């Protein structure tokens, strides 16, 4: 379905029982709402109604061109506005990768809209800041961001030779074409990369502690997020907190391990709405 909010049109995939407790699913880079396709059947069987959002830059009708339009406060405001447009007062919130950063920020800034949080792969921004300041391995893991923040150059590198680098980056998702091909549409990859280009320490630091019940799901084969950042996450949650580690799984948890991820979401969301 299409949802109009903040002057844009967002694509939202809806499923599950019409009377189910709502769950909002936020995807990461360079994916889209389809990354939840193998996760939602179990959530529906558990009685949850899912709303998978194609976020700003990924929905063709929500693709402004200015880098500043992709700052974290703007992206958070999108999530809240979409909830308003859907008539959802509060949801179980789930996010992966950049979607996890959005989920952390929404839960911290708008706890009244969030029953529970399940963050996947990427920890609280303060945990990342801690790891980047204290762990040389995390600095190395995050070095790719420097390329992503370079206008034009990142697009050329990632899309060269039929998007070979982009497809290689997506190794472990199964069919990488389902994510790489949409990024080849005019303006799509630039919009997605603008999330990185608009990122600032000030906006990340503004994400405070999270008080809602929270589960953080991390995989030990994640090339982007190391153990130091993962284990520091707990220090930034004041509500009930669970850390779920998936051994032998890559960064692309929703694609690579949908069953255990769905189990973690259901364990967190069950009976708490």
């Amino acid at each position: 379905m299409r949802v109009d909010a903040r002057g844009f049109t967002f694509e939202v995939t809806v499923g599950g029982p019409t009377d189910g407790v709502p769950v909002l699913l936020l995807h990461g880079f360079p994916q889209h709402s389809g990354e939840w396709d193998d996760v939602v059947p179990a959530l529906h069987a558990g009685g949850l109604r899912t709303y998978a959002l194609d976020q700003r830059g990924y929905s063709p009708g929500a693709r402004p061109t200015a880098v500043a339009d992709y700052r974290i406060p703007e992206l958070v405001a999108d999530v809240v506005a979409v909830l308003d447009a859907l008539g959802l007062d509060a949801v179980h919130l789930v996010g992966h990768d950049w979607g996890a950063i959005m989920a952390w920020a929404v839960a911290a800034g708008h706890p009244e809209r969030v029953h529970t949080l399940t963050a996947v792969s990427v920890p609280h921004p303060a945990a990342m800041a801690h790891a980047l300041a204290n762990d040389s391995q995390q600095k190395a893991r995050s070095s790719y961001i420097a390329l992503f923040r370079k206008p034009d150059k990142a697009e050329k590198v990632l899309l060269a030779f039929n998007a070979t680098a982009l497809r290689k980056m997506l190794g472990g998702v199964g069919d990488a074409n389902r994510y790489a091909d949409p990024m080849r549409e005019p303006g799509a990859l630039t919009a997605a990369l603008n999330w990185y280009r608009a990122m600032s320490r000030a906006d990340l630091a503004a994400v405070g502690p999270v008080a809602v019940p929270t589960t953080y799901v991390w995989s030990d084969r994640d090339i982007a997020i190391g153990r130091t950042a993962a284990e520091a996450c707990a220090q930034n949650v004041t509500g009930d907190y669970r850390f779920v580690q998936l051994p032998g799984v890559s960064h692309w948890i929703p694609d690579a391990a949908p069953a255990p991820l769905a189990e973690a979401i259901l364990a967190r969301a069950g009976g708490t709405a």
Side-chain angles (χ1 to χ4, degrees), residues 13 27-41 52 54 58 162-163 166-167 170 172-185 188 252-256 258:
T13 301
H27 65 84
F29 173 89
Q31 297 176 281
H32 49 66
S33 60
E35 76 165 286
W36 303 107
D37 286 354
D38 292 335
V39 178
V40 294
D54 283 324
Y58 295 85
N162 194 33
L166 188 61
R167 296 174 200 279
L170 287 161
V173 302
D175 181 11
N177 292 331
R178 69 192 299 243
Y179 302 123
D181 287 347
M183 289 290 99
R184 299 176 69 195
E185 298 173 2
W252 314 105
I253 293 175
D255 289 279

Side-chain angles (χ1 to χ4, degrees), residues 20 37 59 67 90 97 99 104 129 132 143 152 176 189 207 213-214 217 237 239 256:
D37 286 354
S59 286
V67 170
D97 188 77
W104 286 113
L132 287 169
S143 61
D152 297 327
L189 180 57
V207 180
T214 297
V217 183
V237 181

Side-chain angles (χ1 to χ4, degrees), residues 86-234:
L86 291 170
L88 301 175
D89 293 332
V91 294
H92 296 289
L93 188 57
V94 181
H96 171 245
D97 188 77
W98 259 108
I101 296 177
M102 288 305 97
W104 286 113
V106 172
H110 302 273
E112 74 283 356
R113 308 303 298 267
V114 180
H115 293 309
T116 69
L117 167 64
T118 302
V120 186
S121 297
V122 177
H124 189 284
M128 277 298 297
H130 167 79
L132 287 169
N134 296 281
D135 183 4
S136 60
Q137 290 188 2
Q138 186 59 57
K139 292 179 182 179
R141 289 173 184 267
S142 299
S143 61
Y144 68 93
I145 295 176
L147 170 63
F148 285 6
R149 287 171 65 90
K150 294 180 179 179
D152 297 327
K153 182 175 181 179
E155 286 88 338
K156 290 178 181 177
V157 170
L158 292 173
L159 294 180
F161 305 107
N162 194 33
T164 296
L166 188 61
R167 296 174 200 279
K168 183 178 180 180
M169 187 185 76
L170 287 161
V173 302
D175 181 11
N177 292 331
R178 69 192 299 243
Y179 302 123
D181 287 347
M183 289 290 99
R184 299 176 69 195
E185 298 173 2
L189 180 57
T190 295
L193 289 169
N194 279 343
W195 287 53
Y196 291 93
R197 293 164 183 166
M199 180 175 61
S200 71
R201 291 183 181 180
D203 285 347
L204 291 170
V207 180
V210 170
V212 304
T214 297
T215 294
Y216 173 50
V217 183
W218 175 72
S219 47
D220 63 7
R221 294 287 181 89
D222 193 320
I223 63 171
I225 307 295
R227 184 172 295 278
T228 297
E231 293 184 348
C233 195

